[in-house]
């Protein structure tokens, strides 16, 4: 294929980066993650979120870096525990802070894409049963209403929940995130509650946000972010590998992707209590589909390590396979929700920034191909603008277009070559020879790591 010919992206395509509050802000002491991090042994390397990137103070400077790189959009999350530290009590200083944050983005000409739940919960939510309690659905819908009313004049793109399936499996099945439960039945219940909460928030936001922030005729565009993982048998001839991969694909990808299409929650895993119910108001409760895509796992049944990377494939620093074709396929799956797809996350942990520039280029090519095949992609938000606190992996996964030293969050942000690749893509809104020049010409498939 001719990789030097210019290949354009659609007009008004949103290019930018994504972050989440707890991972970058620092000092989020009123949520369940902060409390969890204080326990010995739960965070790789032992360093918790702490001051993180001090983005709570440095947001204007960080956004200026993104704007200078041609980003026209930025995904961020509002920290529920800051805004509502006690039930029904909204903190005026936190509200003012997020107005400043959103104002800073608007002044720089960047469209904010605002997530309302990115894994963290106020302590009062966690202590009242968290996402296992149906009351949390009501509390979240109230929070969404508050945010839509308060920030609707600055925000049109709303992302209700981030990755219900990752949130639930890490916290309630693998037990490596709070509340550290290991029970698949309870995990399924949590996914269901998050999907219901999405449906409720969808209507609440449309009700409360009547202000069109950028004059394009839409006061509110509401979606959620789904983490799509390619799951395939490690040994294609092995019936059990294939069966397990099939079940995992169904529960992890398909059931969540189809929930707003059918209005039905249908979650099942062998050995766990299934959750099957029709949810009033969920059908059609979606204006755009948020796709978070990173990797493919090979399923190895009856093994101690049930998911492994494809042998010989290029890997990121966390051992995740880097496979552009998987991204193209994930975009096609996302399109089955029948709505425009916004890539709410895609990135590569690469502390040395060695594989990432080329990976970014090849993922952009894969996305371009998907668009040419008919997938309506609205934008691409790279994970992440800054190196940040990677949950249980601590500071091991370095995803930042800008490097941050966690020991010196007041220090300089270090621009990477990947930042330049994305900047060239964003400015040209096309795959040009200049983009490929910044990315390097050695194909990922030709690498031997
Ligand atoms: C996603 C998550 C992000 C970030 C990313 C990279 O699952 O939404 O918060 O951690 O993975 O690991």
């Amino acid at each position: 294929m001719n990789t030097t010919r210019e290949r354009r992206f659609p007009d008004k395509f949103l290019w930018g980066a994504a972050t989440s509050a707890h991972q970058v802000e620092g000092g989020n002491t009123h949520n369940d993650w902060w409390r969890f991090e204080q326990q010995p042994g739960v965070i790789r390397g032992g360093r918790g979120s702490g001051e993180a990137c001090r983005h709570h103070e440095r947001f204007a400077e960080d956004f200026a870096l993104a704007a200078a790189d041609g980003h026209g959009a930025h995904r961020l999350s509002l920290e529920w525990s800051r805004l509502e530290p006690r039930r029904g009590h909204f903190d005026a200083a936190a509200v003012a802070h997020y107005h400043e944050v959103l104002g800073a983005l608007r002044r720089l000409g960047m469209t904010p894409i605002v997530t309302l739940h990115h894994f963290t919960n106020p302590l009062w939510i966690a202590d009242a049963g968290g996402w296992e309690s149906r009351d949390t659905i009501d509390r979240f819908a109230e929070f969404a209403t508050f945010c839509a009313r308060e920030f609707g004049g600055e925000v049109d793109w709303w992302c209700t929940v981030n990755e219900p399936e990752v949130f639930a499996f890490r916290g309630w099945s693998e037990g490596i995130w709070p509340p550290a439960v290991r029970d698949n039945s309870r995990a399924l219940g949590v996914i269901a509650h998050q999907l219901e909460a999405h449906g409720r928030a969808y209507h609440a936001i449309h009700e409360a946000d009547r202000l069109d922030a950028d004059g394009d005729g839409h006061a509110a565009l509401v979606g959620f972010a789904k983490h799509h993982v390619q799951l395939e048998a490690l040994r294609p001839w092995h019936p059990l590998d294939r069966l397990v991969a099939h079940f995992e694909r169904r529960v992890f990808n398909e059931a969540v992707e189809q929930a707003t299409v059918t209005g039905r929650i249908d979650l099942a895993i062998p050995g766990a209590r299934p959750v099957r119910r029709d949810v009033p108001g969920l059908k059609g409760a979606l204006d755009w589909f948020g796709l978070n895509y990173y990797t493919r796992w090979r399923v190895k049944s009856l093994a101690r390590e049930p998911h492994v990377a494809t042998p010989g494939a290029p890997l990121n620093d966390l051992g995740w396979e880097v496979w552009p074709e998987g991204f193209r396929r994930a975009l096609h799956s996302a399109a089955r929700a029948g709505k425009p797809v916004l890539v709410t996350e895609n990135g590569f942990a690469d502390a040395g920034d060695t594989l990432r520039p080329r990976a970014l280029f090849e993922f952009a090519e894969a996305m371009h191909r998907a668009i040419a095949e008919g997938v309506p992609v609205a934008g691409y938000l790279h994970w992440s603008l800054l190196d940040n606190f990677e949950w249980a992996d601590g500071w091991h996964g370095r995803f930042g277009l800008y490097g941050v030293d966690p020991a010196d969050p007041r220090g300089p942000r270090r621009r990477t070559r990947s930042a330049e690749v994305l900047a060239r893509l964003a400015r040209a809104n096309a795959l040009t020879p200049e983009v490929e020049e910044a990315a390097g010409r050695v194909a990922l498939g030709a690498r031997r790591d």
Side-chain angles (χ1 to χ4, degrees), residues 20 23 75 118-119 162-163 166 177 227 292 294 318 320 345 383 388-391 393 399:
S20 89
Q23 295 179 271
R75 176 175 177 230
H118 199 123
F119 299 155
N162 181 65
E163 302 185 342
V166 172
W177 288 5
H227 188 117
N292 293 358
Y294 290 90
L318 295 173
W320 305 357
E345 290 180 28
W383 185 270
N388 60 45
F389 173 67
E390 261 305 317
W391 311 112
D393 280 316
F399 283 91

Side-chain angles (χ1 to χ4, degrees), residues 335-348:
R336 281 184 216 125
K339 303 288 172 179
V341 178
L342 179 64
V343 179
T344 31
E345 290 180 28
N346 166 244
F348 316 92

Side-chain angles (χ1 to χ4, degrees), residues 102-420:
L102 296 166
L105 286 173
R106 286 280 175 206
R107 278 192 297 281
L108 289 163
M110 292 197 279
T111 301
I113 289 136
V114 172
T115 307
L116 295 175
H117 189 270
H118 199 123
F119 299 155
T120 57
N121 298 293
L123 287 170
W124 60 270
I125 285 282
D127 292 341
W131 285 89
E132 289 191 71
S133 162
R134 287 197 62 80
D135 288 347
T136 296
I137 301 173
D138 297 334
R139 300 294 83 78
F140 181 69
E142 288 161 10
F143 175 64
T145 300
F146 173 84
C147 292
R149 258 196 215 126
E150 182 66 41
F151 302 111
E154 290 139 315
V155 180
D156 290 340
W157 289 80
W158 297 98
C159 176
T160 56
V161 294
N162 181 65
E163 302 185 342
E165 62 297 318
V166 172
F167 174 69
F169 282 119
R170 293 258 195 251
W172 280 265
S173 170
E174 294 168 49
I176 58 167
W177 288 5
V181 170
R182 292 174 67 96
D183 181 331
N184 280 337
S185 299
R186 288 166 70 180
L188 297 186
V190 168
I191 300 180
H193 282 169
Q194 283 234 316
L195 289 170
E196 280 204 48
H198 161 76
R200 288 278 302 281
Y202 176 88
H203 296 289
I205 293 168
H206 275 292
E207 189 65 29
D209 177 3
R210 300 294 171 98
L211 296 175
D212 178 0
D214 51 18
D216 68 351
H218 297 289
L221 293 164
V222 187
F224 75 101
K226 162 84 189 77
H227 188 117
H228 188 105
V229 184
Q230 302 297 357
L231 290 154
E232 287 170 26
L234 175 68
R235 300 157 292 187
W237 45 266
H238 196 296
L240 204 54
D241 283 7
R242 288 179 34 193
L243 191 68
V244 175
H246 165 80
F247 270 109
E248 291 188 350
R249 272 197 305 270
R250 267 201 49 69
V251 70
F252 195 92
N253 292 332
E254 290 155 25
V256 178
E257 282 164 2
Q258 288 305 301
T260 60
V261 177
T262 59
R264 185 169 171 71
I265 291 176
D266 184 354
L267 301 162
I269 319 180
R273 219 173 25 251
V275 183
R276 294 198 171 101
R277 57 175 181 262
D278 290 313
V279 179
L282 186 57
K283 187 170 177 175
L286 194 75
D287 301 325
W288 53 271
F289 186 95
L291 171 67
N292 293 358
Y293 179 76
Y294 290 90
T295 196
R296 158 166 70 178
W297 291 110
R298 299 285 188 171
V299 174
K300 191 175 178 191
S301 54
L302 306 175
R304 227 177 197 302
E305 195 70 65
H307 295 121
V308 297
T310 304
L315 306 180
N316 78 4
D317 289 350
L318 295 173
W320 305 357
E321 178 180 357
V322 178
W323 186 42
E325 168 62 11
F327 184 37
R328 189 189 68 81
R329 292 185 197 174
L331 285 160
H332 278 280
S333 296
R336 281 184 216 125
K339 303 288 172 179
V341 178
L342 179 64
V343 179
T344 31
E345 290 180 28
N346 166 244
F348 316 92
D350 184 8
D353 199 41
T354 47
L355 156 150
R356 184 171 48 194
R358 181 71 199 182
L360 222 169
F361 176 77
E362 292 191 20
F363 272 60
E365 281 191 308
M367 178 165 66
H368 189 270
R369 227 170 289 141
I371 294 170
E373 290 159 355
V375 178
V377 186
Y380 173 90
L381 302 158
H382 189 78
W383 185 270
S384 182
L385 181 62
L386 304 167
D387 285 341
N388 60 45
F389 173 67
E390 261 305 317
W391 311 112
D393 280 316
W395 292 84
H396 280 267
R398 297 295 176 93
F399 283 91
L401 295 170
Y402 284 82
V404 173
D405 176 358
D408 183 19
R410 294 169 196 268
R413 309 311 202 198
R414 195 177 35 80
R415 190 170 192 266
T416 62
R417 199 149 60 87
S418 297
E420 178 61 21

